[in-house]
């Protein structure tokens, strides 16, 4: 019966599953890249927003500092109260001039957003006093007095830069305007200058400074750093100094960072869900389909197939249909096998019938001769042996019989030949008792023995036949039969044909026995047996037959 061929066209489910996995990985990579791009873009926009705010503040502060510069220059050049202060001859005049100077400077304070401390100095007369309300600690005031007295004074005719100075833990910016012997200093706390920028949310770890911290600047602006350094340079802001702002991005934009994290996790979550779904499909659909394909292959090869429930309605329905189809195929295969077996039995019976006729005629001829010579006792023995011989033939209508029964049949055959030829031959038998009940095709051994008598027996020579039956040397699942004689052996032409399994049957019907034996063994054992024919080195033929052990 022809096997069902499962043809392959296109690609397998595994191929498409792998393609889907690759697509998911590609999509996940693209999503991660786009998420990273969006995160960096949003971060850049937020930092730009802070930069723009700083620029607005810098513009306002720049105008205020210009106003302070102009006020200081005007005061040094044109303020009569400062001249009166420097030229006062007594304490009363000094006090009156100082009060007028402070009133004027305090009035200027109301036009400014930042609190400036103005200091008047005249080194020649040893004058150093505040021209306005002081907004610095007294200890810092003393430090500045010492600092300005020790500093080399130069006349200033242009807009000098504001310079930083650090007193203890306090940072200040100061500017000095000098004309002739008069010096006017403006001191302001860096904290007061940067106070408007405190309204910008730069995070808990964010810092504002007018002085660069070179140790921490190198650590900032790293690709994965949470802190970012913004520098507002004076050539861009028109300020006389640089602004250094450290933005704690994670602290300043907490909600935005959370949103960015969600944007990053959403595609990752989608990819993970897709992979989980793919694994579920692999388990619930692809694997059952593959098992179904394997079962179809097993069914096409005639192997037993067990269909289990897969949990998928369509696949379980297909399994039921295929199971029903497999049962019908098995039934059909059994019917075909039984028909073939019946045909084989017919052929076997025909082959058996081909074995018997020539021996029947010889026995009848012997009985006739003995009757003529009145050998009645021999006729009685021959009749008994012949009846046992024929009884075995007539009752043996099956494919196998016990080895013991086959050997008894050979003894009956040899008894008949002994009555015919007397002591002109010798038969030696050696059998392993454990193998007496193994099964063997009937008349197989008898055919070999009969063939030896037919081609080797002569009244002039003593024919010796040996038979040995024991386990095969290589396996206990087989047994070996060795039959040897001291006759002339096989002709080389016949031996070549027998080894090549070429029929020796002639048109006259000769050599039917051995040819039928080969055909019977092929029908019964297929290729699960060995039959080796050869000639012995000294004299005679040798037959080695190895059969599988089967018990009744």
């Amino acid at each position: 019966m022809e096997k069902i061929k499962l043809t392959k066209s296109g690609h397998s489910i595994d191929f498409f599953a792998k393609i889907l996995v690759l697509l998911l990985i590609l999509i996940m990579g693209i999503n991660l890249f786009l998420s990273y791009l969006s995160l960096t873009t949003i971060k850049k926009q937020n930092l730009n927003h802070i930069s723009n705010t700083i620029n607005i503040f810098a513009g306002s502060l720049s105008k205020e500092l210009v106003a302070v510069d102009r006020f200081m220059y005007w005061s040094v050049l044109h303020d009569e109260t400062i001249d009166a202060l420097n030229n006062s001859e007594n304490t009363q005049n000094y006090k009156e001039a100082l009060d007028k100077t402070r009133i004027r400077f305090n009035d200027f304070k109301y036009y400014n957003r930042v609190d400036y401390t103005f200091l008047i100095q005249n080194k020649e007369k040893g004058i150093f006093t505040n021209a306005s309300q002081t907004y610095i600690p007294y200890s810092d005031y003393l430090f500045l007095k010492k600092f300005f007295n020790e500093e080399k004074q130069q006349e200033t005719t242009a807009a000098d830069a504001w310079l930083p100075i650090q007193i203890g833990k306090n940072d200040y910016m100061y500017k000095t305007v000098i004309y002739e012997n008069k010096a006017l200093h403006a001191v302001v706390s860096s904290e007061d200058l940067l106070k408007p920028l405190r309204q910008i949310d730069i995070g808990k770890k964010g810092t504002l400074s007018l002085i660069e911290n070179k140790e921490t600047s190198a650590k900032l602006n790293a690709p994965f750093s949470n802190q970012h350094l913004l520098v507002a340079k004076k050539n861009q802001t028109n300020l006389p100094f640089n602004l250094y702002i450290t933005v704690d991005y994670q602290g300043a934009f907490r909600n935005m960072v959370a949103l960015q994290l969600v944007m990053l996790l959403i595609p990752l979550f989608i990819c993970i869900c897709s992979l989980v779904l793919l694994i579920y499909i692999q388990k619930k659909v692809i694997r059952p389909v593959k098992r179904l394909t394997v079962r179809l292959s097993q069914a096409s090869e005639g192997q037993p197939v067990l269909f289990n429930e897969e949990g998928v309605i369509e696949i379980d329905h297909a399994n039921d249909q295929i199971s029903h189809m497999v049962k019908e195929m098995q039934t059909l295969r059994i019917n075909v096998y039984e028909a073939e077996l019946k045909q084989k039995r017919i052929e076997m019976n025909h082959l058996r019938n081909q074995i018997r006729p020539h021996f029947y005629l010889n026995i009848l001829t012997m009985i006739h001769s003995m009757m003529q010579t009145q050998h009645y006792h021999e006729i009685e023995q021959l009749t008994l042996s012949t009846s046992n011989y024929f009884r075995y033939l007539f009752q043996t209508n099956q494919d196998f019989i016990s080895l013991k029964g086959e050997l008894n049949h050979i003894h009956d055959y040899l008894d008949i030949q002994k009555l015919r030829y007397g002591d002109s031959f010798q038969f030696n038998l050696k059998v392993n008792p454990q193998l007496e009940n193994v099964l063997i095709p009937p008349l197989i051994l008898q055919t070999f023995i009969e063939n030896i008598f037919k081609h080797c027996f002569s009244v002039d020579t003593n024919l010796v036949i040996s038979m040995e039956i024991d386990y095969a040397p290589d396996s206990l699942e087989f047994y070996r039969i060795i039959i040897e004689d001291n006759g002339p052996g096989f002709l080389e032409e016949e031996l070549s044909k027998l080894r090549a399994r070429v029929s020796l049957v002639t048109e006259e019907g000769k050599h039917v026995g051995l040819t039928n034996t080969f055909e019977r063994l092929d029908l019964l054992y297929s290729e699960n047996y060995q039959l080796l024919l050869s000639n012995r080195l000294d004299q005679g033929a040798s037959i080695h037959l190895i059969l599988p052990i089967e018990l009744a």
Side-chain angles (χ1 to χ4, degrees):
M1 183 177 181
E2 294 184 357
K3 297 181 179 179
I4 299 175
K5 295 182 179 180
L6 301 178
T7 58
K8 296 182 178 179
S9 60
H11 299 285
S12 65
I13 296 178
D14 281 342
F15 173 81
F16 291 107
K18 292 176 181 178
I19 293 296
L20 183 57
V21 170
L22 292 177
L23 289 176
L24 285 175
I25 294 174
L26 180 62
I27 292 172
M28 184 171 64
I30 293 174
N31 284 333
L32 291 176
F33 173 76
L34 293 177
S35 299
Y36 173 78
L37 187 62
S38 64
L39 292 178
T40 55
T41 302
I42 294 173
K43 182 177 181 180
K44 185 177 180 180
Q45 290 176 350
N46 292 332
L47 294 176
N48 288 337
H49 173 71
I50 296 177
S51 298
N52 294 333
T53 305
I54 293 172
N55 290 332
I56 295 173
F57 162 78
S60 175
L61 182 60
S62 176
K63 293 178 181 180
E64 184 172 328
L65 291 177
V66 171
V68 172
D69 290 348
R70 291 175 179 176
F71 174 76
M72 292 178 68
Y73 280 106
W74 187 91
S75 298
V76 170
L77 295 174
H78 305 289
D79 194 348
E80 295 177 353
T81 59
I82 295 178
D83 293 336
L85 183 65
N86 289 327
N87 297 326
S88 60
E89 297 178 354
N90 52 52
T91 303
Q92 183 65 29
N93 292 337
Y94 176 83
K95 184 177 182 300
E96 291 176 357
L98 181 59
D99 290 339
K100 292 179 181 180
T101 301
R102 287 178 175 174
I103 291 173
R104 186 177 176 280
F105 274 84
N106 287 333
D107 290 339
F108 177 75
K109 181 258 180 187
Y110 292 107
Y111 298 98
N112 298 315
R113 178 180 51 81
V114 183
D115 296 327
Y116 299 89
T117 300
F118 293 96
L119 303 173
I120 296 175
Q121 180 185 17
N122 190 326
K123 287 188 176 182
E124 292 181 359
K125 295 185 177 182
I127 297 174
F128 186 90
T129 184
N130 58 304
S132 67
Q133 182 179 352
T134 57
Y135 299 96
I136 60 176
Y138 185 71
S139 59
D140 294 348
Y141 170 83
L142 296 177
F143 179 89
L144 291 172
K145 181 178 179 180
K146 181 179 178 182
F147 172 78
F148 289 131
N149 285 329
E150 293 177 353
E151 185 182 29
K152 184 179 180 181
Q153 302 287 328
Q154 293 182 357
E155 185 172 345
T156 303
T157 58
D160 294 335
W162 286 75
L163 301 176
I165 183 172
Q166 187 174 17
I167 305 174
K169 296 182 179 180
N170 299 323
D171 294 329
Y172 298 93
M173 299 296 293
Y174 74 93
K175 180 178 178 61
T176 301
V177 177
I178 302 172
Y179 180 71
E180 295 179 349
N181 59 345
K182 296 178 293 184
L184 179 60
H185 307 285
V187 180
V188 62
S189 172
S190 298
E191 184 69 19
D192 291 338
L193 279 177
L194 300 175
K195 185 180 293 184
L197 289 179
R198 298 296 181 188
Q199 299 177 3
I200 303 175
D201 188 4
I202 58 174
K204 292 182 179 180
K205 298 181 180 180
T207 59
L208 296 171
S209 178
L210 301 177
I211 303 174
E212 181 182 8
N213 189 340
K214 295 183 178 180
E215 294 181 359
T216 59
S217 296
K219 300 179 181 178
L220 302 177
N221 295 341
F224 298 99
S225 176
N226 290 327
Q227 294 183 336
H228 194 90
L229 177 63
L230 296 177
V231 180
K233 296 183 179 180
K234 57 185 178 181
N235 59 349
Q236 297 175 347
T237 60
N238 296 323
L239 292 173
F241 45 76
N242 294 334
L243 294 177
Y244 300 92
I245 302 95
T246 303
V247 180
D248 181 11
Y249 188 82
Q250 186 174 356
F253 300 95
R254 293 180 295 275
N255 296 333
M256 187 62 66
V257 171
L259 179 60
Q260 291 174 344
L261 182 61
V262 171
M263 291 175 59
L264 182 65
L265 292 179
I266 285 176
L268 186 62
F269 175 77
I270 293 174
C271 291
I272 293 175
C273 291
S274 300
L275 289 175
V276 171
L277 179 60
L278 183 61
I279 293 173
Y280 179 81
I281 294 175
Q282 172 79 12
K283 181 179 179 181
K284 292 296 184 180
V285 178
I286 297 178
R287 289 182 182 175
V289 171
K290 291 177 66 176
R291 286 194 289 267
L292 179 61
T293 304
V294 172
R295 290 163 184 164
L296 285 175
S297 300
Q298 293 176 346
S300 66
E301 295 174 358
Q303 299 179 10
V305 182
L306 179 61
F307 291 92
N308 299 322
E309 292 186 2
E310 300 289 355
V312 181
I313 297 176
E314 290 77 8
I315 296 179
D316 289 339
H317 181 69
N319 283 338
D320 294 338
Q321 296 295 326
I322 294 173
S323 178
H324 179 69
M325 181 186 68
V326 169
K327 290 180 180 178
E328 291 183 349
M329 291 172 56
Q330 291 175 345
T331 302
L332 179 61
R333 186 177 282 115
I334 291 173
N335 293 336
V336 172
Y337 174 77
E338 289 178 351
E340 292 176 351
L341 188 61
K342 183 177 181 180
Q343 179 66 26
K344 288 181 179 179
R345 287 198 182 101
I346 295 174
E347 294 174 0
M348 291 288 292
N349 291 332
H350 176 68
L351 292 174
R352 287 175 187 157
N353 290 331
Q354 285 184 314
I355 295 173
R356 299 168 186 168
H358 71 280
F359 187 64
Y360 299 162
L361 296 176
N362 290 336
I363 293 177
L364 293 175
T365 301
M366 287 176 57
I367 294 175
H368 180 264
S369 299
M370 289 179 180
M371 291 180 66
Q372 288 181 342
T373 57
Q374 297 182 359
H375 290 82
Y376 299 112
H377 178 70
E378 288 77 2
I379 292 175
E380 181 180 357
Q381 293 180 354
L382 178 60
T383 303
L384 181 61
S385 298
T386 303
S387 64
N388 292 334
Y389 180 84
F390 286 153
R391 184 180 298 108
Y392 178 83
L393 291 179
F394 296 148
Q395 292 180 355
T396 307
N397 58 355
Q398 51 194 11
D399 294 332
F400 295 95
I401 196 169
S402 68
L403 178 62
K404 183 177 181 180
E406 179 74 3
L407 294 177
N408 290 335
H409 178 66
I410 290 176
H411 284 296
D412 291 334
Y413 173 79
L414 293 176
D415 289 341
I416 294 173
Q417 297 293 12
K418 193 172 187 64
L419 290 173
R420 183 179 180 182
Y421 300 114
D423 296 329
S424 300
F425 69 91
Q426 181 180 352
F427 179 70
N428 301 321
L429 177 63
K430 183 179 180 181
V431 182
N432 189 328
Q434 297 179 358
L435 297 175
E436 289 184 350
N437 292 323
V438 298
L439 298 180
I440 189 173
L443 305 180
I444 290 293
L445 301 183
Q446 187 269 341
T447 300
F448 291 130
I449 299 299
E450 181 180 353
N451 189 72
I452 292 173
F453 269 95
K454 182 177 181 180
H455 297 284
C456 301
F457 178 77
S458 173
V459 293
D460 298 330
T461 60
N462 186 22
L463 177 63
V464 179
I465 302 173
S466 299
M467 180 181 295
E468 181 181 354
I469 303 175
D470 203 345
Y471 287 102
D474 297 332
S475 175
L476 295 179
E477 296 180 357
F478 292 81
Y479 66 100
R480 181 180 63 183
I481 302 171
I482 301 177
I483 303 175
E484 295 180 340
D485 63 70
N486 62 344
F490 296 104
L491 298 176
E492 289 298 329
E493 181 180 359
E494 293 179 354
L495 190 60
S496 298
K497 289 183 178 182
L498 289 173
R499 289 174 176 174
R501 296 295 191 268
V502 177
S503 176
L504 298 179
V505 179
T506 62
E507 294 181 356
E508 294 81 12
K510 296 182 178 180
H511 303 294
V512 174
L514 288 179
T515 301
N516 285 348
T517 299
F518 287 133
E519 292 178 356
R520 290 177 62 202
L521 291 173
D522 288 338
L523 287 173
L524 293 173
Y525 294 108
S526 184
E527 298 180 356
N528 195 30
Y529 80 99
Q530 290 184 13
L531 177 58
L532 304 177
L533 305 177
S534 61
N535 288 325
R536 299 170 60 189
L537 295 178
D538 49 1
Q539 186 180 3
S542 177
I543 300 171
H544 286 230
L545 177 61
I546 299 177
L547 299 176
I549 294 178
E550 297 180 8
L551 299 176

